[in-house]
Amino acid sequence: MANSHLLLISIVLMGSLVAVLAAGNFNDLTEITWGDGRGKILDGGKGLSLSLDKLSGSGFQSKNEYLYGRFDMQIKFVPRNSAGTVTTFFLSSQGEGHDEIDFEFLGNVTGEPYTVHTNVYSQGKGNKEQQFHLWFDPTTAFHTYTIVWNANRIVFLVDEIPIRVYNNHESIGIAYPKSQPMKVYCSLWNADEWATQGGRVKTDWTQAPFTASYKNINIDGCVVKSGASSCASRSTDSANNAKPWETHELDAKGRNRLRWVQNKHMVYNYCADSKRFPQGYSQECKRSRF
């Protein structure tokens, strides 16, 4: 028990001391794409806010497409009674058979934890959800949410703490996002038929407009333009040339933190849902999570 408490204390302290990478400017990196004025770039591009009312939500996307990279975003979510709202930060390509890497944050009634919904789509097929309850209040301060995407794995992190690793299992016939460039997308939208505990609670529209805030966007990835990658001109075979995200994997400390999150805060795992998948679990469920 003492060791568990020490681990929790060290994780909380680490989360509060996370160093933000050189922050980008929302004016330079993104554009607001929908919401009819409900999305606003603030403070000369240092921040951005999205709002939601009964008529519409809002959203923005990156100007560039990327094929692999590290993507950091600091977000402060809708406070108080946020049931029925979903705040998002995800990567996606376009068209039929698209790829997608999802962070979606489901609001809840006052005092109940936010749910982090993660999913990975490859060639248009998803159904690989894992969900977690956050172990802190994400509405009172900004926290850092990160997607690391390379040829071998996808890692989801919260304040540098890994919560999920999705490995490349092409060797056993499982599709992996590797060839379709993706843009970064963020949005705040009405999910009163989903993010309401299955309809058990209702969206309180008297609290609208709901607002989520973003800052310290950081993108370190391979930009793809006209089919050419900005990383194509250098070799990633050499450890001297590779950026940290290109070879990112969990060390012993990272694996311990991942176990802590999954043991204490995971609330849904597609690899354990026998009712949903009576025909049997996907093959990657039988492989190591690390």
Side-chain angles (χ1 to χ4, degrees):
M1 183 66 72
N3 289 338
S4 176
H5 286 163
L6 287 173
L7 177 60
L8 174 58
I9 291 169
S10 68
I11 287 173
V12 171
L13 288 174
M14 178 188 171
S16 66
L17 297 173
V18 169
V20 177
L21 298 174
N25 187 290
F26 284 97
N27 281 318
D28 297 334
L29 295 175
T30 71
E31 55 189 354
I32 294 173
T33 49
W34 64 285
D36 195 24
R38 292 173 178 81
K40 295 181 174 63
I41 294 178
L42 309 170
D43 198 14
K46 293 180 180 179
L48 191 152
S49 69
L50 296 177
S51 65
L52 163 70
D53 56 39
K54 209 164 187 178
L55 293 177
S56 177
S58 49
F60 66 94
Q61 67 184 45
S62 63
K63 294 179 179 179
N64 289 323
E65 292 182 310
Y66 303 88
L67 187 59
Y68 302 139
R70 177 182 173 118
F71 307 86
D72 300 279
M73 191 80 70
Q74 288 198 320
I75 312 173
K76 184 165 63 173
F77 299 130
V78 175
R80 299 179 297 280
N81 189 346
S82 57
T85 71
V86 172
T87 306
T88 72
F89 164 40
F90 64 101
L91 311 179
S92 183
S93 62
Q94 295 298 306
E96 188 176 352
H98 78 292
D99 293 342
E100 189 171 324
I101 303 170
D102 287 344
F103 257 136
E104 295 183 292
F105 306 93
L106 283 62
N108 214 331
V109 293
T110 303
E112 295 293 323
Y114 259 75
T115 297
V116 183
H117 177 94
T118 66
N119 203 354
V120 176
Y121 287 77
S122 304
Q123 300 173 17
K125 296 180 180 179
N127 294 330
K128 301 184 185 303
E129 301 95 336
Q130 289 184 356
Q131 294 183 343
F132 310 84
H133 280 160
L134 287 174
W135 51 94
F136 53 84
D137 184 349
T139 71
T140 59
F142 285 91
H143 292 265
T144 304
Y145 304 89
T146 300
I147 297 170
V148 176
W149 170 38
N150 61 39
N152 298 312
R153 62 191 57 85
I154 297 162
V155 184
F156 297 81
L157 303 104
V158 176
D159 287 339
E160 290 297 326
I161 301 166
I163 66 168
R164 180 179 185 179
V165 177
Y166 182 83
N167 288 307
N168 183 338
H169 286 303
E170 287 184 299
S171 62
I172 58 172
I174 306 298
Y176 182 82
K178 69 171 187 179
S179 59
Q180 299 189 63
M182 299 197 240
K183 286 189 175 183
V184 179
Y185 294 87
C186 295
S187 60
L188 176 60
W189 55 280
N190 172 15
D192 55 7
E193 295 183 359
W194 180 41
T196 51
Q197 298 180 27
R200 290 190 296 274
V201 298
K202 302 298 181 182
T203 304
D204 182 2
W205 289 108
T206 67
Q207 300 292 316
F210 302 103
T211 301
S213 301
Y214 295 77
K215 71 175 185 177
N216 289 330
I217 180 175
N218 183 79
I219 301 175
D220 182 10
C222 300
V223 177
V224 177
K225 292 185 177 180
S226 302
S229 170
S230 62
C231 297
S233 60
R234 62 181 178 83
S235 170
T236 57
D237 294 334
S238 168
N240 294 327
N241 290 328
K243 293 187 176 183
W245 59 261
E246 293 180 272
T247 57
H248 186 99
E249 59 182 332
L250 300 189
D251 57 14
K253 183 183 292 185
R255 291 192 294 271
N256 284 337
R257 287 182 173 132
L258 178 65
R259 290 189 188 97
W260 176 79
V261 172
Q262 295 195 339
N263 288 336
K264 299 292 185 179
H265 300 285
M266 179 182 280
V267 294
Y268 179 81
N269 182 4
Y270 76 105
C271 282
D273 191 343
S274 59
K275 292 182 179 179
R276 184 177 175 193
F277 301 103
Q279 75 281 7
Y281 303 125
S282 183
Q283 286 298 309
E284 77 271 12
C285 294
K286 302 174 183 177
R287 299 294 184 99
S288 169
R289 77 180 85 177
F290 307 126

